[in-house]
Amino acid sequence: MGKPSRIPKSPKPLKKPLRPADKPFTVKEVEAAKPKQARYLLWEPGGLVLEVLPSAKKVWRHRYTKYGKQHWYKLGDYPVVSLADARTALAEVKVSLAKGGDPAAEKKQARVEGANTFKAVALEWCETNAAGLKPRTAKQRLDNLTNLIFPSLGHLPIASISASVALQPLKRIEARGKHHTARRMLQHCVAIADYAIAKSVLKLNPFQPLRRLMKAETVRHQPAIIKPARFGQLLRAIDAYSGDAITRHGLQLLALFFVRPTELRTMRWTAIDFEARQWSLFATQRKEKRELVVPLARQAVEILTQLRDMTGDRTYVLGSRLGDKILSENTFNSALRRMGFSGDEHVAHGFRASARTMMNEVLRCEGELVELQLGREIPGPMSATYNRVERIDDRTAMMQRWADYLDELRGGKP
């Protein structure tokens, strides 16, 4: 109920004791104990000691002998620790002594372990790794650990966590059908334990063996229209959208570029080279952490020219009308819902699957070119040598062909 303290120097012995040592304390007596110029001690039967300091602070202590040396053990401060609580704490200390233990050493070890609880190590790991993450991602990671893992494991010394204990919060997440979240939390916990090993506060990673015990994650593909005729209907609905013009142009560009919605929403005017007809996405904007160049087809340049009249004085191409901010992440999907396309049929992210399918199956584009333009790594010995302008001339021709094909679909060609 307090921290072990160093052995205080005993006050000079008095000719007469301050109180009868065989008389139990009363609450009234403890409250009435007044400070003096020097600290002094009051005793009761059984070894409970009240130390009264000149500052008027009162501390419960117990003196015991271990290995031939006297030790003073702090039981807590009064009145936070009441007289009854002090007697209970003293009884626990005596049990430890009877079993051959050393209460002061045990409390010191507990204090050291308390500094290395799972939560303490996890928070340090989060702070160390936050620099390489977007603020929103770092916050979400910490929130998930706080809500899903800390209630079960946070208070435990990380060195005391066994595999069976570590598995429990993960299985509770799985039981709610959140298999992806459970696996993601396991990834974080493995990394946290590895960090603890690197700090020499843990020897074995208790989370490592759990990978084989987790249920396989069900892959859910983003809903996407892949039939040309229906996709043509979608394009005509976008062109006729009566809502915000910036949102309409954004959806048109999303169909042309088939990048991730977040990548399009954060498109900056400074990243567009109208002369070279290219838009450069930097590695920090992309999930793959690799740069990508998007060739601008004639149709894309026309849309961007219109947007320049609307947002050319702002940072973002699709800048919100509410200040120099990017569009909300729900803007595109909300517009699609208003057009009559449900979330089970098509979402903003689905333009990637739509383009990939039709470019491969209808236009018969070279698979490697499509994957390069999607920004995905191409398997094989050349994957490590990827650069942002690889086969740029071929990709430029392909993107113009795709834009022309979208115009044909708008015109009702199957």
Side-chain angles (χ1 to χ4, degrees):
M1 301 181 69
K3 295 181 179 180
S5 61
R6 296 179 180 177
I7 303 173
K9 294 180 180 179
S10 299
K12 293 180 180 180
L14 302 174
K15 294 181 179 179
K16 294 182 179 180
L18 295 179
R19 67 183 303 280
D22 59 350
K23 178 184 176 183
F25 286 126
T26 64
V27 173
K28 185 176 181 180
E29 178 187 8
V30 173
E31 291 178 348
K34 303 297 183 182
K36 300 180 183 295
Q37 289 185 346
R39 53 181 287 277
Y40 65 93
L41 305 177
L42 300 175
W43 300 71
E44 82 161 7
L48 181 61
V49 180
L50 180 67
E51 178 186 16
V52 183
L53 302 176
S55 63
K57 181 179 181 180
K58 301 173 184 179
V59 183
W60 297 113
R61 297 189 184 277
H62 175 64
R63 185 175 67 183
Y64 67 93
T65 301
K66 189 73 176 179
Y67 307 122
K69 294 183 178 180
Q70 284 192 343
H71 300 267
W72 284 91
Y73 185 84
K74 182 178 178 180
L75 300 169
D77 297 333
Y78 181 84
V80 176
V81 177
S82 67
L83 173 58
D85 290 340
R87 287 172 175 155
T88 300
L90 176 59
E92 294 173 356
V93 168
K94 289 184 175 181
V95 169
S96 175
L97 289 168
K99 294 180 178 179
D102 185 345
E106 291 167 2
K107 186 162 285 189
K108 181 178 180 181
Q109 179 63 27
R111 189 170 74 250
V112 171
E113 291 180 348
N116 291 315
T117 62
F118 180 85
K119 180 178 180 179
V121 176
L123 292 176
E124 188 175 327
W125 173 79
C126 286
E127 183 178 355
T128 301
N129 290 276
L133 300 172
K134 294 179 180 179
R136 178 181 174 183
T137 303
K139 181 180 183 303
Q140 184 178 32
R141 173 183 291 181
L142 179 57
D143 287 347
N144 285 338
L145 286 169
T146 300
N147 296 328
L148 302 175
I149 304 299
F150 288 171
S152 299
L153 306 181
H155 64 288
L156 300 176
I158 194 167
S160 72
I161 297 176
S162 64
S164 60
V165 171
L167 182 63
Q168 293 174 14
L170 299 171
K171 282 299 182 182
R172 280 194 288 271
I173 300 172
E174 273 192 347
R176 293 161 46 200
K178 305 290 186 179
H179 302 300
H180 175 76
T181 302
R183 284 190 166 272
R184 180 59 60 88
M185 288 298 99
L186 176 57
Q187 274 184 347
H188 294 339
C189 290
V190 168
I192 291 166
D194 283 343
Y195 180 77
I197 291 173
K199 288 190 59 179
S200 300
V201 297
L202 184 66
K203 292 183 179 179
L204 296 175
N205 193 323
F207 297 94
Q208 197 70 45
L210 305 184
R211 297 180 188 274
R212 296 186 297 273
L213 301 179
M214 304 299 291
K215 292 181 179 178
E217 182 181 346
T218 301
V219 179
R220 181 181 181 273
H221 296 288
Q222 297 281 3
I225 295 173
I226 59 175
K227 298 297 183 182
R230 182 58 173 162
F231 198 75
Q233 293 175 354
L234 171 61
L235 294 175
R236 290 191 292 274
I238 292 173
D239 293 344
Y241 181 60
S242 60
D244 182 62
I246 294 175
T247 301
R248 181 177 71 253
H249 288 320
L251 287 168
Q252 291 168 337
L253 291 177
L254 204 54
L256 285 167
F257 295 156
F258 49 88
V259 293
R260 295 181 178 87
T262 299
E263 295 168 352
L264 185 69
R265 290 188 303 111
T266 55
M267 175 195 282
R268 296 170 180 257
W269 284 114
T270 54
I272 298 174
D273 187 336
F274 281 96
E275 184 176 348
R277 289 198 167 193
Q278 292 179 352
W279 165 35
S280 297
L281 281 84
F282 300 102
T284 53
Q285 295 174 265
R286 308 197 64 247
K287 180 180 179 181
E288 293 87 356
K289 303 303 179 187
R290 299 188 304 175
E291 294 184 15
L292 175 69
V293 167
V294 178
L296 303 180
R298 171 181 50 80
Q299 294 87 335
V301 172
E302 291 174 358
I303 295 171
L304 289 170
T305 300
Q306 295 179 52
L307 278 167
R308 189 161 52 180
D309 293 335
M310 302 178 190
T311 64
D313 59 341
R314 305 176 199 171
T315 301
Y316 300 102
V317 175
L318 302 178
S320 169
R321 297 188 186 278
L322 302 175
D324 196 14
K325 301 178 181 179
I326 63 174
L327 291 179
S328 165
E329 63 179 337
N330 296 319
T331 299
F332 292 145
N333 283 331
S334 295
L336 290 170
R337 301 296 87 77
R338 287 195 289 272
M339 295 176 204
F341 297 88
S342 72
D344 293 328
E345 183 180 21
H346 193 85
V347 295
H349 199 284
F351 283 104
R352 289 171 65 79
S354 300
R356 186 172 188 240
T357 301
M358 286 183 278
M359 291 175 100
N360 285 330
E361 298 181 1
V362 180
L363 300 183
R364 302 297 181 186
C365 296
E366 184 181 338
E368 180 177 303
L369 280 182
V370 177
E371 296 304 308
L372 280 172
Q373 195 54 54
L374 285 165
R376 292 172 175 158
E377 184 174 337
I378 308 301
M382 297 299 292
S383 62
T385 62
Y386 170 88
N387 68 78
R388 69 195 190 102
V389 294
E390 187 172 353
R391 300 189 64 182
I392 190 63
D393 291 339
D394 292 334
R395 286 194 282 134
T396 299
M398 181 183 70
M399 293 297 280
Q400 185 59 61
R401 186 182 176 195
W402 170 247
D404 292 340
Y405 176 64
L406 294 186
D407 284 345
E408 293 177 2
L409 292 180
R410 283 187 176 90
K413 181 179 178 178

